Amino acid sequence: MNTSTWAAGDYPAMARLLVPAADRAVAAAAPGPGTTVLDVGTGTGNAALAAARAGATVTAVDPTPELLAIAERRAAEEALPVTFQDGDTASGTYDRVLSVFAAMYAPDHTRAAATLVRACAPGGRIVSAAWTPDGLMAAANRAAAPYLPAPPPGGPPPARWGDEAYVRGLFAGHEVATTVEQVPFVFAAPMAAAEFWVRTAGHLQAERARLEADGAWRALHHDLAAIFAGRESSATYLLAVISA
């Protein structure tokens, strides 16, 4: 997804549900006072702010100005000295490098993994959180796929980053420790979950006019509701800790 797509939906509402995952990733990174941290794809700043609260010196980057502005505002409200930059990564090396539901969306996973490695200082730690291929978020994406333009040929599905063997391949030569974690999603009914998912998903909102004109907008909601009806109210993700 391009930067304008991320800004098309109400991603901040989704980001609020993802705070526990960001907190878990930061805990796995174990930053502390004097530790330098790079948060790649910070979005609205969940992981960056958690690392700053732990006393780390944090740099956070994101290519979507609208989300970065929210992160900056949140940091200011808590008086957290986070440095925010517009872009995909930052120069220099850091003791900890975080990617919380971020690098998985890169069009070239191998290049994204290499970028994370280059940004991590020797003896440091990279922590990645990514949706698993068999989890709720991947299932919802598969249900929505027929309503969306075909993805560019050759690009790996984002959820591949949530497969343990795949991640070990991306970071071959490095020690990789993984666990499967969950983010709770609690909604009054499956249709309420579907409506929330569509409202927050910029790639779907970007297609709304076309889908409404085709009479497919409500069908999309019903297909997503069927996914949420058949699943537990949580989404699984792979938490990977890579030693640099």
Side-chain angles (χ1 to χ4, degrees), residues 22-99:
D23 289 345
R24 179 69 184 88
V26 171
T35 305
T36 57
V37 174
L38 174 65
D39 183 22
V40 178
T42 192
T44 60
N46 285 345
L49 271 60
R53 293 186 196 108
T57 301
V58 182
T59 299
V61 298
D62 198 280
T64 306
E66 295 87 345
L67 300 184
L68 206 60
I70 294 172
E72 290 178 319
R73 183 166 62 249
R74 293 179 64 198
E77 289 171 352
E78 294 190 45
L80 295 172
V82 179
T83 299
F84 292 97
Q85 297 181 14
D86 186 352
D88 293 317
T89 190
S91 59
T93 57
Y94 301 80
D95 300 320
R96 304 288 187 268
V97 178
L98 306 174
S99 167

Side-chain angles (χ1 to χ4, degrees), residues 24-26 28-29 97-100 125-129 239-242:
R24 179 69 184 88
V26 171
V97 178
L98 306 174
S99 167
V100 181
R125 189 178 301 172
I126 301 164
V127 178
S128 165
L239 185 72
V241 180
I242 302 101

